[in-house]
Amino acid sequence: MMNPKKRWGKRWARGALISLGLLTVGCAALFFALPALLIAPASVEKSDVILYGAISKHSAADKYVIDLYQRGVARKIVCVSSQVSWELYPSDYVRESLVLQGVNAEDVVSLRLPLAPCGGAETPRIVEFVKAHGWKSALYVTHPEDSRYTDNLARRFFEGEGVALSVSYSPEDREELTRNWWRTHWKTQRMVGEALIIALDRFYSGCR
Amino acid sequence: MVAARGAGRDGRQAEIRMAPERSQAGEIIISYFIFRMPYFIRHMKCGIWNMNTKLASLSNFKQSKLARWGAGALACLLAAYFLTPVLLNKAAEGLIREDRLVKSDVIVALAGDIRCNREKRAAELWRQGWADNVVVSGMSYAWGFHTGEAARLYVMSLGVPEEKIYMICETLNTRAEARALDDLMRERGWNSAIIVTSAFHSRRATYTVERAAPGRSFYSAPVPTGSPEWTPRAWWTRRDDVYVTVREFGSWTNTLVGGWQ
């Protein structure tokens, strides 16, 4: 007959192993489900302005934004970014690039945002800018992995101020990001980073 | 309970005997206490009995499995409550590496600081004479700007001459940066470098460059902690610091297991 203590230990070890296994499977499932969880379906509504926020090293959303502009989805474009290095605002360069690619210079502006700890602290400044120009609707072009969160978070700020919002992203960006994303450092970093941001923002009132 | 009742009866008889002989106030009070004695005794005994009963049941309880588990769980909760902040602080402090500085060939400001405090610190060390050259780092974007170029201009604005500034490009992550730095050091014949980066990144960065460039000496001189920079003390209370710390632990894991490059 087995010693009761041994039997108890065995039962515990089995319980711990099962829990660990379930946790690992859960984490793996969550990891591979990240694209589905983070990327919302793109929604393109006719708007007064395009807010171009998909400015990063691996983004190629220029073509998409120009296409939207030329199709008449919106008559104005605002390139939005905060600084990425000393006195370096990518939105200034993106504006120039759009002008060089055929967008009327008077239809595109650069909005320099101050450094903010999170989207919840940054979005009110964009809303303020949109309202100051009298625009009533906006199409926010963002990074694919940021689309669902932007849709949830920014919509509240915009709609709270009476501005209609739709959120979209470049299909090329989405395709590039989701292709073998778990094997590429920057893609994994962006997916996991976004998931971490969403999780963290829930705990801080200034970011919700 | 039976013993207490018996004592009560004796006490009451004593009071009846004494009451008619004394009429002064003090005596009335004494009489009152004597009259109430059985009540006090009964309750005192009751209390002792109750205490004994309670002690006995406590002793039984202490021997029970439930009590042991409960006490264990309580001890664990208390330990977790008091030890968790200490451990979290220690874990974050463990991310920092600060070496005693030695005069070196070059000061390297690693990329990734949008506030440019790394570059500022590198320029400060250069002015103090810790090295003759400064390396800045960054990457180019499709729209024709380069974060390394902006960093170079900033370091120049802080007084470092242009000819003393070198740049490493296309540094998407710390390992790529370490490889690029190794190439540059080999090319220039440099053997020692002071690595300047944010405090949370300092240990991993120095570890990574030491791995990438064996045989060379590296000294870590991180940017001082304190707002708006990352601060290890009570980092879990600040949203930005939580993000940075959790990410850094993830990056450490990735570096140690040799994961994503």
Side-chain angles (χ1 to χ4, degrees):
Chain A
M1 210 174 116
M2 196 187 269
N3 183 346
K5 268 192 179 172
K6 264 190 180 173
R7 203 166 49 200
W8 181 82
K10 215 173 166 182
R11 210 163 47 198
W12 262 92
R14 198 169 50 200
L17 270 176
I18 290 171
S19 308
L20 201 68
L22 285 174
L23 190 73
T24 311
V25 169
C27 287
L30 187 68
F31 178 74
F32 287 106
L34 280 178
L37 294 172
L38 300 175
I39 305 174
S43 133
V44 178
E45 304 284 335
K46 199 164 164 40
S47 309
D48 293 334
V49 62
I50 295 170
L51 300 169
Y52 185 3
I55 304 170
S56 71
K57 169 81 182 160
H58 299 284
S59 177
D62 273 16
K63 244 166 57 183
Y64 178 65
V65 170
I66 291 169
D67 179 54
L68 292 173
Y69 172 78
Q70 285 170 347
R71 276 164 41 202
V73 173
R75 303 297 315 147
K76 299 280 180 192
I77 301 170
V78 178
C79 306
V80 187
S81 80
S82 50
Q83 74 172 53
V84 292
S85 188
W86 184 63
E87 289 293 310
L88 178 60
Y89 290 84
S91 54
D92 297 351
Y93 293 83
V94 177
R95 183 193 171 274
E96 274 176 36
S97 162
L98 292 182
V99 171
L100 284 173
Q101 291 176 76
V103 177
N104 287 333
E106 60 271 22
D107 287 344
V108 53
V109 289
S110 165
L111 172 61
R112 292 174 164 202
L113 291 175
L115 291 172
C118 55
E122 196 175 59
T123 312
R125 291 174 191 276
I126 305 173
V127 178
E128 205 177 291
F129 185 82
V130 169
K131 273 192 78 183
H133 283 78
W135 294 318
K136 293 281 174 215
S137 57
L139 168 63
Y140 203 131
V141 176
T142 185
H143 296 294
E145 78 279 9
D146 191 33
S147 54
R148 197 177 299 276
Y149 189 47
T150 302
D151 198 25
N152 286 330
L153 181 83
R155 187 180 295 281
R156 266 188 290 123
F157 286 98
F158 276 85
E159 290 183 351
E161 294 293 332
V163 180
L165 184 78
S166 51
V167 177
S168 186
Y169 46 81
S170 156
E172 280 177 33
D173 278 4
R174 183 198 165 123
E175 205 187 310
E176 177 57 34
L177 180 72
T178 50
R179 192 187 311 123
N180 289 334
W181 68 273
W182 64 91
R183 290 186 189 162
T184 316
H185 187 232
W186 70 265
K187 293 179 186 178
T188 312
Q189 212 172 28
R190 265 169 61 167
M191 291 280 193
V192 175
E194 182 67 23
L196 185 59
I197 285 170
I198 295 171
L200 277 182
D201 282 357
R202 295 195 183 281
F203 294 99
Y204 296 86
S205 56
C207 294
R208 283 199 289 262
Chain B
M1 293 299 277
V2 174
R5 273 190 206 127
R9 272 197 297 269
D10 296 344
R12 197 181 301 132
Q13 281 159 10
E15 187 270 331
I16 293 164
R17 271 201 311 270
M18 289 173 74
E21 293 168 16
R22 311 272 164 95
S23 56
Q24 283 152 357
E27 284 170 6
I28 290 172
I29 293 169
I30 291 167
S31 308
Y32 171 77
F33 277 104
I34 291 168
F35 176 74
R36 297 292 290 170
M37 193 60 81
Y39 174 82
F40 295 137
I41 290 169
R42 191 169 63 224
H43 278 264
M44 193 178 74
K45 287 203 169 179
C46 191
I48 290 167
W49 189 89
N50 274 346
M51 205 163 71
N52 283 336
T53 318
K54 276 175 192 162
L55 282 173
S57 53
L58 184 69
S59 157
N60 286 339
F61 181 66
K62 270 162 77 180
Q63 283 166 8
S64 78
K65 229 180 192 179
L66 181 71
R68 274 190 310 222
W69 274 102
L74 187 70
C76 286
L77 279 175
L78 282 172
Y81 181 78
F82 288 108
L83 283 178
T84 305
V86 179
L87 294 175
L88 290 177
N89 278 335
K90 284 279 165 212
E93 280 161 15
L95 296 174
I96 307 172
R97 173 172 157 181
E98 188 157 15
D99 297 326
R100 212 170 125 182
L101 292 185
V102 171
K103 190 158 168 44
S104 306
D105 294 324
V106 62
I107 298 163
V108 185
L110 296 182
D113 183 3
I114 49 177
R115 292 188 177 90
C116 284
N117 285 329
R118 297 176 185 178
E119 286 78 7
K120 193 175 165 187
R121 172 97 169 116
E124 196 180 290
L125 292 172
W126 182 85
R127 281 199 302 269
Q128 289 168 8
W130 290 108
D132 289 334
N133 306 291
V134 174
V135 171
V136 292
S137 171
M139 56 187 176
S140 63
Y141 283 63
W143 295 280
F145 61 90
H146 198 291
T147 53
E149 187 54 33
R152 195 177 68 84
L153 291 172
Y154 181 53
V155 172
M156 275 169 65
S157 78
L158 294 172
V160 182
E162 195 176 356
E163 65 275 13
K164 297 283 182 193
I165 306 170
Y166 296 83
M167 195 159 79
I168 47 179
C169 306
E170 301 319 309
T171 50
L172 265 176
N173 54 54
T174 310
R175 272 182 278 181
E177 214 165 6
R179 283 193 294 267
L181 178 64
D182 180 40
D183 291 343
L184 181 70
M185 288 181 81
R186 195 179 304 119
E187 191 188 304
R188 308 294 312 174
W190 294 330
N191 285 314
S192 57
I194 295 170
I195 305 296
V196 180
T197 185
S198 305
F200 67 85
H201 186 226
S202 56
R203 187 171 295 279
R204 185 166 61 90
T206 318
Y207 171 85
T208 309
V209 290
E210 278 172 345
R211 284 291 180 102
R216 297 198 171 91
S217 307
F218 295 99
Y219 309 96
S220 175
V223 172
T225 57
S227 183
E229 281 293 315
W230 175 83
T231 309
R233 187 151 187 82
W235 56 269
W236 59 92
T237 58
R238 295 173 300 275
R239 189 252 179 224
D240 266 13
D241 288 355
V242 176
Y243 179 73
V244 163
T245 313
V246 173
R247 239 184 90 138
E248 188 58 23
F249 283 126
S251 301
W252 254 116
T253 312
N254 187 42
T255 303
L256 292 176
V257 302
W260 291 282
Q261 297 281 331

